[in-house]
Amino acid sequence: MILYVVKSGDSIYSIANNYKVSAEKIINENNIKDPNSLVVGQCLIIKKNDYVYYVKEGDSLYSIANKYGLSLEALKFLNPNITPPYQLTVGEKIRISTKKDDRTPIKINGYAYDSSSISIVEKSLPYLTYLSIFSYSIDENGSLIDINDTPLIAAAKKYNVAPIMVVTNTNKNGTFSTELVHNILNNEIIQNRLLKEIVTKLKDKEYYGLNIDFEYISPDDKKAYEEFIATLHDRLKMEGNYTLSVALAPKTSAEQTGLLYEAHDYKVLGEETDYTVLMTYEWGYTYGPAMPVAPINEVKKVIDYAITEMPPKKIFMGVPNYGYDFTLPYVEGSAAKSIPNSTSIEYAKSKNATIKYDDLAETPFFTYYDSGKKEHIVYFEDPRSIQAKSLLAKENNLGGISIWTISSYFKQLYEVLDNYFKIEKIGY
């Protein structure tokens, strides 16, 4: 897989000719809407079975192998002229081949709303292990508030994807409620009712497992939450060997303060669940200052901490399928506009913008001025940023990647994941 950044004067056809592949192949693999109008700075995926890589400063056999999803042994086999101590020279030719399936096995989870378009979701299902359907909320009595999940469950099974039931502590307004979760965790009658209804729903809807996404839990309820998860885990195994996972805030230390973080103990919750979903996104968020949504330098800090608290195979790293359009300068209380990754290039094109790249955050962005002469900056994901996240997961031997959300179809995301990983299906 080659990641090519469009330059001024490029066309699909000149790029295709340069790399000796068909224009139709590039158009299809990048889901390009208008092949006659590329954006300068746009990143394209070019897949070839065999090609030559020219060594750059700082390269090593290991870094090149990682970049192209190959094992070190496979790269050595393809280049027998390179011998110990494997010193490379800038400009040296390295043969790359993707014919051998040397990808790392991994599980992929995708979240979808119960209101998501079935036809859109189905485009992602061939690449998923789990489909987590968001979400059942809970009333003040501990009863589940029903959702229209049957069509998504049926679609998941059609593609051999395991449907996962998601339960949140959201109130009637769709807001995560500290008070609601406090009542659930501290009232035995309410909690028992909730446990019973969860088991009933899992059985009636033929779910494979359960994902608990309780956020903004009071630190005073930390122990009660851990006990609830332990009880739930035992109950699910007894009732039908259902999997249990929890969504966790992106922490970088056990002492991290704040309502979002303190009740999420990575070590304890990792022990009481089958896997955890780390919400490694929202550094840049709707009501915050302009920042990349999932800057790799920040995501790496979370992963570095997480693997000290739980087995890497229990960690699913979150990947955002969206970006934000921020107005500059930031005014407290102002809202950024959410932009699907799948439409970010067309959005840049509509603003006559050139796409740039933040090398520290490993995130593409562009700027423009609106009709009121206010400056905007748009951060999103592209094949380069997805590659950086894939390599982070691969290098740390993580158990999975979790996409928020698959309500829009971003083909380049799956092309990159498919290059590095062999996506596991559980035969459900």
Side-chain angles (χ1 to χ4, degrees), residues 304-362:
D304 286 347
Y305 166 64
I307 60 177
T308 68
E309 296 291 309
M310 65 182 100
K313 287 299 183 184
K314 283 198 173 187
I315 298 171
F316 279 45
M317 182 182 72
V319 171
N321 187 24
Y322 63 94
Y324 284 117
D325 178 342
F326 297 95
T327 304
L328 302 175
Y330 170 66
V331 176
E332 190 170 350
S334 62
K337 177 183 177 183
S338 181
I339 305 293
N341 290 327
S342 58
T343 63
S344 57
I345 300 302
E346 286 74 23
Y347 193 56
K349 191 184 305 179
S350 73
K351 306 299 182 183
N352 295 314
T354 295
I355 295 169
K356 300 177 182 178
Y357 198 72
D358 183 325
D359 291 318
L360 175 63
E362 292 271 15

Side-chain angles (χ1 to χ4, degrees), residues 343-384:
T343 63
S344 57
I345 300 302
E346 286 74 23
Y347 193 56
K349 191 184 305 179
S350 73
K351 306 299 182 183
N352 295 314
T354 295
I355 295 169
K356 300 177 182 178
Y357 198 72
D358 183 325
D359 291 318
L360 175 63
E362 292 271 15
T363 304
F365 68 96
F366 61 89
T367 59
Y368 71 93
Y369 287 87
D370 63 24
S371 58
K373 297 185 178 180
K374 288 190 174 182
E375 187 179 8
H376 291 243
I377 186 166
V378 180
Y379 289 104
F380 60 101
E381 302 286 331
D382 77 356
R384 292 169 291 183

